[in-house]
Amino acid sequence: MKALVYEEYAPDDNFSKILKIEEIPIPIPKSHEVVFKVKMAGLNHDDIWGMRGKPIQIPMPHISGTDAAGEVVAIGDDVTTIKIRDRVVSHGNLSCRVCIACTEGREYDCRNRKIWGFQTGPLWGGFCEYAHLPEVNVLKIPDNISFENAAAASMTMTTSWHMLVGRAKIRPGQTVLIMGGGSGMGTFGIQIAKLYDCDVITTASQSKLEDCLKLGADFAVDHRQDDWHKQVYAISKDLAKKKQTGPGIDVIFEHIGGSHWNKELALLKYGSTLVTTGATTGYDVNTDLRHIFFKGVSILGSTQGTRAELESGMFWVSKGKLRPIIDSIYAFENAVEAHCKMLKGNLFGKILMKPS
Amino acid sequence: MKALVYEEYAPDDNFSKILKIEEIPIPIPKSHEVVFKVKMAGLNHDDIWGMRGKPIQIPMPHISGTDAAGEVVAIGDDVTTIKIRDRVVSHGNLSCRVCIACTEGREYDCRNRKIWGFQTGPLWGGFCEYAHLPEVNVLKIPDNISFENAAAASMTMTTSWHMLVGRAKIRPGQTVLIMGGGSGMGTFGIQIAKLYDCDVITTASQSKLEDCLKLGADFAVDHRQDDWHKQVYAISKDLAKKKQTGPGIDVIFEHIGGSHWNKELALLKYGSTLVTTGATTGYDVNTDLRHIFFKGVSILGSTQGTRAELESGMFWVSKGKLRPIIDSIYAFENAVEAHCKMLKGNLFGKILMKPS
Amino acid sequence: MKALVYEEYAPDDNFSKILKIEEIPIPIPKSHEVVFKVKMAGLNHDDIWGMRGKPIQIPMPHISGTDAAGEVVAIGDDVTTIKIRDRVVSHGNLSCRVCIACTEGREYDCRNRKIWGFQTGPLWGGFCEYAHLPEVNVLKIPDNISFENAAAASMTMTTSWHMLVGRAKIRPGQTVLIMGGGSGMGTFGIQIAKLYDCDVITTASQSKLEDCLKLGADFAVDHRQDDWHKQVYAISKDLAKKKQTGPGIDVIFEHIGGSHWNKELALLKYGSTLVTTGATTGYDVNTDLRHIFFKGVSILGSTQGTRAELESGMFWVSKGKLRPIIDSIYAFENAVEAHCKMLKGNLFGKILMKPS
Amino acid sequence: MKALVYEEYAPDDNFSKILKIEEIPIPIPKSHEVVFKVKMAGLNHDDIWGMRGKPIQIPMPHISGTDAAGEVVAIGDDVTTIKIRDRVVSHGNLSCRVCIACTEGREYDCRNRKIWGFQTGPLWGGFCEYAHLPEVNVLKIPDNISFENAAAASMTMTTSWHMLVGRAKIRPGQTVLIMGGGSGMGTFGIQIAKLYDCDVITTASQSKLEDCLKLGADFAVDHRQDDWHKQVYAISKDLAKKKQTGPGIDVIFEHIGGSHWNKELALLKYGSTLVTTGATTGYDVNTDLRHIFFKGVSILGSTQGTRAELESGMFWVSKGKLRPIIDSIYAFENAVEAHCKMLKGNLFGKILMKPS
């Protein structure tokens, strides 16, 4: 089969030097594994980290691809819940499934967790014609969801769902601030918070504000403006009047970090929550602890999400309440172009790739 | 290898007619399985249900045995956490490990859950020389725990732990009533509640009261006396004075059912909890709903427990804070005698069996 | 001022013999109390229980009325959150506000809790021209809510909210069964479950099915038909297919009891919840404990609700997402007629009364 | 009566210039208030902040004193749970008791909360002969607890209890790190974590290590040594072996801040918790967000605690499981000396004062 492979790093982001379409054997499933023909795959930032070899070294030769959807062509002897011809999507968070964290339902806390297509290999990821995964790492796609939408949703939706539902435990009526509402994560963050009947304020760059409102955000603020936090505060004050409470935010969905951090902390109400993953503009931040202890706030780190959360999210995609946003679709042959587009960041939603 | 096998039911409890020691092949592990040499196995009531063919039919020919401990002699290709010579104990609750309940950490809510040695087969249980189980269904035994204690703890301790910690969520300072403190479940119930610094009242038959107090119960009441509930209430009243609260029980550990049920409900405080499993003296009970809604109580059904809970409990066995109670040990050859003793009920703690 | 007073019981439900409009002094607020001119009051079943003197004796002479809305005319010296002319509605659950249950936010578990207009007196309830209550037992009504809607919502909405949100902790995507969807409680139950994006099945008598669907229920079943539970099960099975789970109900909202009880238990899924209050068709029920422990279900008693829950519910009334249903409005002078209508039960929503 | 009063700030910590014993009227209780003769009062750092006028201005003339215990001499008309001659201790966290946070049991999230003796006045605190408080802000002292122990426990124990039990929700078997185990807060932190059967590592200065071990800590590390965190890590690694888990800390009890912050974050396990209040060595800290999101940790701010938590803690004092540590006792006349001692910090446990 054809696969998108590289065997050395490109720390200068010159991906064209390393990415090649190669012919490799079609995988044979182990007893608890499933092999599916990839119809659509999704790009994630860990593809870039892998090619750079930073922040961690990865197995070589390498196939990237953490999101993939397709049709099952082979199953192992002990597989019981999936059969040939099933339409499936990957759950890219691999964990041991045995330790106390895994068996308590906290696979994200497993010390041996790995991200498929990033930490796995050699030659084990979604950017190929036939992908293989353990049974527990694929999910049957409801009939009315396309391969495109399934691939666009998988990792990103699961991560956002875990942040808001699994960690922050949002409740109807809360005022929620979605930082970076125009990103892949942000587009799901907005929609999940609306599904839970929250009042949603989002931040984005000027050109994406309109799209964020169309996705359901009640208010959108340009976070490139110095006083974005003052604008958010003013909106929260108006909302608070109707709720007979004080101004400020109940839940902040944060994946930006950097210079926004302390402004976000200042926006939090007494007893409120900030949930954070990644830190795209810088992870070394200054923190005024008084914001945290005086107001009794909870700062919750979040990473990945569970298979059960992917399944919950996918249910709402099938009900039409969550809508994966697709920026563009490329053939594997045009992977360099696709990754460069993601790197530049001038997009709305997910970039997908497929076998030609 | 030798195994304790039967091929037909004994609805009249004439077990000697059906139980035979037979020679069958030593199992070969599947890719994710472990095979261990059984050093000690534990009896459970489901052994009896199996031989009776009631309340459900079971696979034939049948090997019973839900608890077993021993030494690993072979592992499958994909096993990563267990190695040959490891000392292990069974976690007898098999579940699919894929569905939303399993991946949320609620394996007991899996619709495909099965009890090993009861619902499994043909010829798949612990009463044999070499047992096999999926990797996730065995647990490494801490060095200072004997095979006897591991086998005596496994299913019973997990069930009791799930009731009190997983379901009722006991907290230090609560007044806890352990019904049937002299049973296998009760002996763990008493000790778990004391580990959590609760005030523990237990009921038992006259001859076992002293043993219950030795196990740590603060008070023991003879539940064959008609006014046992009045005695419990009086004790709770004394305890309440010191806590500046009202009389009554915070958490009832119930596995009796029958005529005790409504008396138990009457003992519950406002906002309290009754957790129930089994119903050894009758499952068809009369319920006065006013006890439930007026006092805002929670009646929590409970069945089995998780691998994570077995692991938590085993940690406390190794710390010496939970002590498995062993009534007696038989050879597989004397299985009829062992099961008859369990049937009569005149015992304190678990009955074990081992290969001769 | 005028008040609707009685001084003896009417165990034969001959209310006209005892109910009188009398002249009594306008109350003067204690330091932490508020006095408001009653614009609208709501009828509840405890009005009837009071007049019957069953199941408990009540203070005499008696003024009933657990729900009242009006305009503040006087406040005590220590009142800080309410001022004269504020529009307020009663929170009819009085509790000590000092004990451990109250200060933990569980006022419903307070051993000294009382229902205003039922257990209070002499002469202390809402069926009068000027009502008085502690500051903590009145809530400011949002501007866009009428006195009618506020009075119709108060106790009933709070009780339903506590059942579904406080106790059963409903989550989006669950399948919820609202028993008696045409009752006051049921009309809120349906709407609250829809607010939380649940799939809602309700039962009602034939004539109310249409109205229940208009309120938002997704399915409505006639619970006078013998096989109502089979119809509910069939619906749950269809819903389950889309969720890739098994059939059955996640949360049952129960206030009926009697012969429906065991059928409800049989409908529950593994790990599901039944929340119960009252038991209008009988509180002495037969229970098959196997339904409870084998499936690991939670039976949660519920009574009343908190001031915080009233406030949460009222927010959604002001947002238009919860709509109080008013059956009819009477003058205090026609109280006998109003109570007889409630007794017959041929109504949809709340009956209100007001000073003439 | 005599009271310890000041009318201007002493930003230079020259307390002798401002503190005076003055004669003021004995308070008369409002309808919901209690007046008690002060037998013993406790010093807290907010006494110092008040005299400095930093970080906030306070009401003048001022009486400090957030902890006081004594005998009731007068009660208001509406007081129901306290009577004259009752022995009581203050709960120094005043809140509105009406808002949604208060009625949900989160008085610490009340936007109008105030600390008695710090933010209250003029002339309202515990350093006087007769103190007055709302009924809900005093607690009856169990018979076997002295005024000394009650005053030493009140605010400090409540704050520590809220951190570990209310916020971090410690569970038996966890590895807990108590920073500053020799401080008032730390002495309770150690004991509460042991009450919950945790493995406790504490840090302190060299001279206090022995005392921390006597209080029950399993390990004590000198936090003035540069590699204190490496020592803690090594201990956690040993503990982890017995638990079959990875090294690191489950719960950190933090009130230090400053340069220790990032070292503490590095010690946290996957899925673990840091609970923080105050920040005695600096609140402006550098945070590496990767520690937070990659490991999925929870950083929980905490302030004060609830009346219910004070009551829970006091129960364990009466059972002898929590032991207030008293450094020294002064007469009000020697308040300057007492406060200077606290300022220097060379103490173990609480400093108390009493009327001469």
Side-chain angles (χ1 to χ4, degrees):
Chain A
M1 69 167 179
K2 292 204 159 45
L4 185 67
V5 178
Y6 61 92
E7 302 192 31
E8 52 182 330
Y9 297 117
D12 58 353
D13 290 351
N14 188 347
F15 307 138
S16 61
K17 255 191 354 208
I18 61 168
L19 282 177
K20 287 169 202 163
I21 303 284
E22 294 195 357
E23 191 70 25
I24 62 169
I26 293 180
I28 293 157
K30 289 189 190 175
S31 66
H32 60 292
E33 280 190 342
V34 161
V35 174
F36 60 98
K37 188 169 190 341
V38 174
K39 301 286 187 172
M40 195 60 63
L43 269 64
N44 288 286
H45 280 278
D46 57 39
D47 305 341
I48 308 277
W49 302 336
M51 290 189 283
R52 287 177 181 165
K54 273 191 186 173
I56 57 167
Q57 301 278 308
I58 53 158
M60 289 286 189
H62 199 81
I63 298 177
S64 288
T66 299
D67 289 324
E71 198 178 297
V72 174
V73 297
I75 61 172
D77 290 346
D78 296 330
V79 169
T80 59
T81 64
I82 299 285
K83 56 186 192 308
I84 290 176
R85 276 196 226 288
D86 276 352
R87 303 167 68 249
V88 297
V89 65
S90 61
H91 169 56
N93 298 321
L94 307 173
S95 69
C96 83
R97 305 284 160 192
V98 173
C99 72
I100 206 162
C102 283
T103 48
E104 277 184 347
R106 297 178 292 112
E107 55 181 90
Y108 42 82
D109 284 339
C110 175
R111 293 169 63 222
N112 296 310
R113 70 168 195 243
K114 281 186 181 172
I115 298 175
W116 182 51
F118 177 46
Q119 295 163 284
T120 58
L123 296 176
W124 191 19
F127 295 162
C128 58
E129 286 184 304
Y130 294 90
H132 63 108
L133 278 169
E135 175 180 13
V136 71
N137 284 92
V138 301
L139 184 80
K140 274 168 75 172
I141 307 174
D143 291 344
N144 67 344
I145 300 182
S146 66
F147 290 120
E148 284 81 354
N149 280 340
S154 183
M155 175 64 87
T156 310
M157 179 178 67
T158 303
T159 305
S160 298
W161 187 274
H162 183 56
M163 288 175 75
L164 289 173
V165 182
R167 290 289 277 151
K169 301 190 196 308
I170 49 171
R171 298 189 313 271
Q174 291 186 312
T175 299
V176 175
L177 172 63
I178 305 290
M179 297 298 296
S183 66
M185 300 251 314
T187 59
F188 279 109
I190 290 170
Q191 295 181 77
I192 293 166
K194 288 311 298 179
L195 173 68
Y196 271 76
D197 265 314
C198 298
D199 290 308
V200 175
I201 311 171
T202 193
T203 71
S205 52
Q206 185 62 41
S207 65
K208 298 179 182 175
L209 295 179
E210 195 57 38
D211 284 325
C212 288
L213 293 169
K214 276 185 198 152
L215 270 180
D218 300 295
F219 306 90
V221 169
D222 180 354
H223 57 203
R224 302 253 166 95
Q225 296 188 8
D226 265 0
D227 71 340
W228 69 267
H229 57 298
K230 291 182 188 166
Q231 296 180 47
V232 169
Y233 189 78
I235 294 166
S236 79
K237 210 167 168 178
D238 279 352
L239 287 169
K241 268 181 218 158
K242 292 176 199 151
K243 300 181 192 180
Q244 308 196 9
T245 63
I249 304 295
D250 289 305
V251 175
I252 299 182
F253 176 94
E254 139 64 38
H255 51 119
I256 310 279
S259 61
H260 291 88
W261 180 257
N262 253 323
K263 290 180 180 173
E264 293 171 19
L265 293 184
L267 284 168
L268 289 166
K269 269 188 198 173
Y270 281 29
S272 62
T273 298
L274 179 151
V275 58
T276 180
T277 199
T280 48
T281 71
Y283 48 73
D284 241 334
V285 298
N286 222 351
T287 302
D288 183 339
L289 288 179
R290 291 175 302 183
H291 285 311
I292 297 179
F293 68 77
F294 185 75
K295 296 190 290 190
V297 310
S298 301
I299 308 293
L300 307 180
S302 185
T303 191
Q304 307 190 344
T306 68
R307 186 194 197 277
E309 288 170 329
L310 171 59
E311 193 168 337
S312 296
M314 211 55 93
F315 167 72
W316 290 109
V317 176
S318 90
K319 296 259 276 188
K321 294 271 192 133
L322 295 184
R323 192 160 54 88
I325 306 299
I326 296 164
D327 179 86
S328 48
I329 303 179
Y330 293 82
F332 282 157
E333 281 75 7
N334 301 322
V336 172
E337 195 181 334
H339 280 103
C340 286
K341 182 163 194 199
M342 184 169 65
L343 206 54
K344 278 200 215 131
N346 191 17
L347 42 84
F348 194 77
K350 294 288 287 183
I351 301 177
L352 303 180
M353 290 203 300
K354 61 175 178 181
S356 55
Chain B
M1 68 168 179
K2 293 204 157 47
L4 186 67
V5 179
Y6 59 93
E7 302 193 31
E8 52 181 331
Y9 297 117
D12 58 353
D13 290 351
N14 188 347
F15 306 139
S16 62
K17 254 188 358 205
I18 60 168
L19 282 177
K20 287 170 204 163
I21 303 285
E22 295 193 358
E23 190 71 32
I24 61 169
I26 293 180
I28 293 158
K30 289 188 188 176
S31 68
H32 60 293
E33 279 188 342
V34 161
V35 173
F36 59 99
K37 186 165 187 351
V38 175
K39 300 285 190 172
M40 195 62 62
L43 269 66
N44 288 286
H45 281 278
D46 57 38
D47 305 341
I48 308 277
W49 303 336
M51 290 188 284
R52 287 178 181 165
K54 270 189 186 172
I56 58 166
Q57 301 278 309
I58 54 158
M60 290 287 187
H62 198 80
I63 297 177
S64 288
T66 299
D67 289 324
E71 196 178 298
V72 175
V73 296
I75 61 172
D77 289 347
D78 297 329
V79 169
T80 59
T81 64
I82 300 286
K83 56 186 190 311
I84 290 175
R85 278 196 225 287
D86 276 352
R87 301 168 69 248
V88 297
V89 65
S90 60
H91 169 56
N93 299 320
L94 306 174
S95 69
C96 82
R97 305 283 159 193
V98 173
C99 73
I100 206 162
C102 282
T103 49
E104 276 184 349
R106 297 179 291 111
E107 54 180 89
Y108 43 83
D109 285 337
C110 175
R111 293 169 62 224
N112 297 310
R113 71 166 193 244
K114 282 187 182 171
I115 297 175
W116 181 52
F118 176 45
Q119 296 163 285
T120 58
L123 294 176
W124 191 21
F127 294 161
C128 58
E129 286 185 303
Y130 293 89
H132 64 107
L133 278 169
E135 175 180 12
V136 72
N137 284 93
V138 299
L139 183 79
K140 273 167 78 172
I141 307 174
D143 291 344
N144 67 345
I145 301 182
S146 66
F147 291 120
E148 284 82 354
N149 280 340
S154 182
M155 175 64 86
T156 310
M157 179 178 68
T158 304
T159 304
S160 299
W161 187 274
H162 183 55
M163 289 176 74
L164 288 173
V165 181
R167 291 290 277 152
K169 300 189 197 311
I170 49 170
R171 297 190 313 272
Q174 290 186 313
T175 300
V176 175
L177 173 62
I178 305 291
M179 298 298 295
S183 67
M185 301 251 313
T187 58
F188 279 109
I190 290 169
Q191 294 180 77
I192 294 166
K194 287 313 297 179
L195 173 68
Y196 271 75
D197 265 315
C198 299
D199 290 308
V200 175
I201 309 170
T202 194
T203 71
S205 52
Q206 185 62 39
S207 64
K208 297 179 183 175
L209 296 179
E210 195 57 37
D211 283 326
C212 288
L213 293 169
K214 276 185 198 151
L215 271 179
D218 300 296
F219 306 91
V221 169
D222 180 353
H223 58 201
R224 301 255 165 96
Q225 297 188 7
D226 265 0
D227 70 340
W228 69 266
H229 56 299
K230 290 183 188 164
Q231 296 179 47
V232 169
Y233 188 78
I235 295 166
S236 80
K237 210 167 169 179
D238 278 352
L239 286 169
K241 267 180 216 157
K242 293 177 198 151
K243 300 182 191 180
Q244 308 197 8
T245 64
I249 304 294
D250 289 305
V251 174
I252 298 181
F253 176 93
E254 138 63 41
H255 51 120
I256 310 278
S259 59
H260 291 90
W261 181 257
N262 253 324
K263 289 180 180 174
E264 293 171 20
L265 294 184
L267 283 169
L268 289 165
K269 268 189 198 171
Y270 281 30
S272 63
T273 297
L274 180 152
V275 58
T276 181
T277 198
T280 47
T281 71
Y283 47 73
D284 240 334
V285 297
N286 221 349
T287 302
D288 182 341
L289 289 178
R290 291 174 301 181
H291 284 311
I292 297 178
F293 68 77
F294 185 75
K295 296 189 290 188
V297 309
S298 301
I299 307 292
L300 307 180
S302 185
T303 192
Q304 304 190 344
T306 68
R307 185 195 198 278
E309 289 169 328
L310 171 59
E311 193 168 338
S312 296
M314 211 54 93
F315 167 71
W316 291 108
V317 176
S318 90
K319 295 259 277 188
K321 294 270 194 138
L322 296 183
R323 191 161 54 90
I325 305 300
I326 296 165
D327 178 87
S328 47
I329 303 179
Y330 292 82
F332 284 156
E333 281 76 5
N334 302 321
V336 172
E337 194 182 336
H339 280 103
C340 286
K341 180 164 196 199
M342 184 168 67
L343 206 55
K344 279 199 213 131
N346 191 17
L347 42 84
F348 193 77
K350 296 287 285 185
I351 300 177
L352 303 179
M353 289 202 300
K354 61 176 177 178
S356 52
Chain C
M1 69 166 179
K2 291 203 159 47
L4 185 68
V5 178
Y6 60 93
E7 303 192 31
E8 52 182 330
Y9 297 118
D12 58 353
D13 289 352
N14 188 347
F15 307 139
S16 62
K17 255 190 357 208
I18 60 167
L19 282 177
K20 287 171 203 161
I21 303 284
E22 293 195 359
E23 190 71 25
I24 61 169
I26 293 180
I28 294 158
K30 289 188 189 177
S31 67
H32 60 292
E33 281 190 341
V34 161
V35 174
F36 60 97
K37 188 168 187 345
V38 175
K39 300 286 189 172
M40 195 61 62
L43 269 64
N44 288 286
H45 280 279
D46 58 38
D47 304 343
I48 308 277
W49 302 336
M51 290 189 283
R52 287 177 180 166
K54 275 191 186 171
I56 57 166
Q57 302 277 309
I58 53 158
M60 289 285 188
H62 199 81
I63 297 176
S64 288
T66 299
D67 288 325
E71 198 178 298
V72 174
V73 296
I75 60 172
D77 289 347
D78 297 329
V79 169
T80 59
T81 64
I82 300 286
K83 56 184 192 307
I84 290 176
R85 277 195 225 288
D86 276 353
R87 303 167 69 246
V88 296
V89 64
S90 60
H91 169 55
N93 298 322
L94 307 174
S95 68
C96 82
R97 304 285 159 192
V98 173
C99 72
I100 206 162
C102 283
T103 49
E104 276 184 349
R106 298 178 293 113
E107 53 181 90
Y108 42 82
D109 284 338
C110 175
R111 294 170 62 224
N112 297 310
R113 70 165 196 245
K114 282 186 182 173
I115 299 176
W116 182 51
F118 177 45
Q119 295 163 285
T120 58
L123 295 176
W124 191 20
F127 294 161
C128 58
E129 286 184 304
Y130 293 90
H132 64 109
L133 278 169
E135 174 180 13
V136 72
N137 284 93
V138 300
L139 184 79
K140 274 169 76 171
I141 307 173
D143 290 346
N144 67 345
I145 301 182
S146 66
F147 291 120
E148 282 81 354
N149 279 340
S154 182
M155 175 64 86
T156 310
M157 178 177 68
T158 304
T159 304
S160 298
W161 188 274
H162 183 56
M163 288 176 75
L164 289 172
V165 182
R167 291 290 277 151
K169 299 190 195 311
I170 49 171
R171 298 189 312 272
Q174 291 186 313
T175 300
V176 176
L177 171 62
I178 305 289
M179 298 298 296
S183 67
M185 301 251 314
T187 58
F188 279 109
I190 290 169
Q191 296 180 77
I192 293 166
K194 287 313 297 179
L195 173 68
Y196 271 76
D197 265 315
C198 298
D199 290 309
V200 175
I201 310 170
T202 194
T203 71
S205 52
Q206 185 62 41
S207 64
K208 297 179 183 175
L209 297 178
E210 196 56 40
D211 284 326
C212 288
L213 293 168
K214 277 186 198 151
L215 270 180
D218 299 297
F219 306 91
V221 169
D222 179 355
H223 56 202
R224 302 251 167 97
Q225 296 188 7
D226 264 1
D227 71 339
W228 69 266
H229 56 298
K230 291 183 188 166
Q231 296 179 46
V232 169
Y233 188 78
I235 294 166
S236 80
K237 209 167 169 180
D238 279 352
L239 287 169
K241 268 180 217 157
K242 292 175 199 151
K243 300 181 191 179
Q244 309 195 7
T245 64
I249 304 295
D250 289 305
V251 174
I252 298 182
F253 176 94
E254 138 65 36
H255 52 119
I256 310 278
S259 59
H260 292 89
W261 181 256
N262 252 324
K263 290 180 180 173
E264 293 170 20
L265 294 185
L267 284 168
L268 289 166
K269 266 188 200 174
Y270 281 28
S272 62
T273 297
L274 179 152
V275 58
T276 181
T277 199
T280 48
T281 71
Y283 47 74
D284 240 335
V285 298
N286 221 353
T287 302
D288 182 339
L289 288 179
R290 291 175 301 183
H291 285 312
I292 296 179
F293 68 77
F294 185 75
K295 296 189 291 188
V297 309
S298 302
I299 308 292
L300 307 180
S302 186
T303 192
Q304 306 191 343
T306 69
R307 185 193 198 278
E309 289 170 328
L310 171 59
E311 194 168 337
S312 296
M314 210 55 93
F315 167 72
W316 291 108
V317 176
S318 89
K319 295 261 277 188
K321 294 270 192 135
L322 296 183
R323 191 160 54 88
I325 306 300
I326 296 164
D327 178 86
S328 48
I329 303 179
Y330 293 83
F332 283 156
E333 281 76 7
N334 302 321
V336 172
E337 194 181 336
H339 280 103
C340 287
K341 181 163 194 200
M342 184 168 65
L343 206 54
K344 278 199 215 132
N346 191 17
L347 41 84
F348 193 77
K350 295 287 287 182
I351 301 177
L352 303 180
M353 291 203 299
K354 61 175 177 180
S356 55
Chain D
M1 69 166 179
K2 292 204 157 48
L4 186 67
V5 178
Y6 60 92
E7 302 193 30
E8 52 181 331
Y9 297 118
D12 58 353
D13 291 350
N14 187 346
F15 307 140
S16 62
K17 255 192 355 209
I18 60 167
L19 282 177
K20 287 170 205 163
I21 303 284
E22 292 194 0
E23 190 72 32
I24 62 170
I26 292 179
I28 293 158
K30 289 190 189 176
S31 67
H32 60 293
E33 280 189 343
V34 161
V35 174
F36 60 99
K37 187 165 187 350
V38 174
K39 300 286 189 172
M40 195 62 62
L43 267 67
N44 288 286
H45 280 278
D46 57 39
D47 304 341
I48 307 276
W49 302 337
M51 290 188 283
R52 287 177 181 165
K54 270 189 188 171
I56 57 166
Q57 301 278 307
I58 53 160
M60 290 286 188
H62 198 80
I63 297 178
S64 289
T66 298
D67 289 325
E71 196 179 299
V72 175
V73 296
I75 61 172
D77 289 347
D78 297 330
V79 169
T80 60
T81 63
I82 300 284
K83 56 186 191 310
I84 290 176
R85 278 197 224 288
D86 276 352
R87 302 167 69 247
V88 296
V89 65
S90 60
H91 169 55
N93 298 322
L94 306 173
S95 69
C96 83
R97 304 282 160 193
V98 173
C99 73
I100 206 162
C102 282
T103 49
E104 277 185 347
R106 297 179 292 112
E107 55 181 89
Y108 42 83
D109 285 337
C110 174
R111 293 170 63 225
N112 296 311
R113 70 166 193 243
K114 281 186 181 169
I115 297 175
W116 181 52
F118 177 45
Q119 294 164 287
T120 58
L123 295 176
W124 191 20
F127 295 161
C128 58
E129 286 184 303
Y130 293 90
H132 64 108
L133 278 168
E135 175 180 12
V136 72
N137 285 93
V138 299
L139 183 80
K140 273 167 77 172
I141 307 173
D143 291 344
N144 68 344
I145 301 182
S146 66
F147 291 120
E148 283 81 355
N149 279 341
S154 182
M155 174 64 86
T156 310
M157 178 178 68
T158 304
T159 305
S160 298
W161 188 273
H162 183 56
M163 289 175 75
L164 289 173
V165 182
R167 291 291 275 152
K169 300 189 197 309
I170 48 170
R171 296 190 313 273
Q174 291 186 313
T175 299
V176 175
L177 173 62
I178 305 289
M179 298 297 295
S183 67
M185 301 250 313
T187 59
F188 280 109
I190 291 170
Q191 294 181 77
I192 293 167
K194 286 313 297 179
L195 173 68
Y196 271 76
D197 264 314
C198 299
D199 289 308
V200 175
I201 309 171
T202 193
T203 71
S205 51
Q206 186 62 39
S207 65
K208 296 179 184 176
L209 296 179
E210 195 57 38
D211 283 325
C212 288
L213 293 169
K214 276 185 199 151
L215 270 179
D218 299 296
F219 306 91
V221 169
D222 179 354
H223 56 202
R224 301 253 165 94
Q225 297 189 7
D226 264 0
D227 70 341
W228 69 266
H229 56 299
K230 290 182 188 167
Q231 296 179 46
V232 169
Y233 188 78
I235 295 166
S236 80
K237 210 168 169 178
D238 279 351
L239 286 169
K241 267 179 218 158
K242 292 176 199 151
K243 301 183 192 179
Q244 309 197 7
T245 65
I249 304 294
D250 291 303
V251 174
I252 298 182
F253 175 93
E254 139 64 39
H255 51 120
I256 309 278
S259 59
H260 291 89
W261 180 257
N262 252 324
K263 290 180 180 172
E264 293 171 19
L265 294 184
L267 284 169
L268 288 167
K269 267 189 197 170
Y270 281 30
S272 63
T273 298
L274 179 151
V275 59
T276 181
T277 198
T280 47
T281 71
Y283 47 74
D284 241 334
V285 297
N286 222 348
T287 303
D288 182 340
L289 289 179
R290 292 174 301 182
H291 285 310
I292 297 179
F293 68 77
F294 185 75
K295 296 189 291 189
V297 309
S298 302
I299 308 292
L300 307 179
S302 185
T303 192
Q304 305 190 344
T306 68
R307 185 193 197 278
E309 289 170 328
L310 171 58
E311 194 168 337
S312 295
M314 211 55 93
F315 166 71
W316 291 108
V317 176
S318 88
K319 296 258 276 187
K321 294 270 194 135
L322 296 184
R323 191 160 55 88
I325 305 300
I326 296 164
D327 178 87
S328 47
I329 304 179
Y330 293 82
F332 283 156
E333 281 76 7
N334 302 321
V336 172
E337 195 182 335
H339 281 103
C340 288
K341 180 161 195 202
M342 184 168 65
L343 206 55
K344 278 199 216 132
N346 191 17
L347 42 83
F348 192 77
K350 294 287 287 183
I351 301 177
L352 304 180
M353 289 202 300
K354 61 176 177 179
S356 55

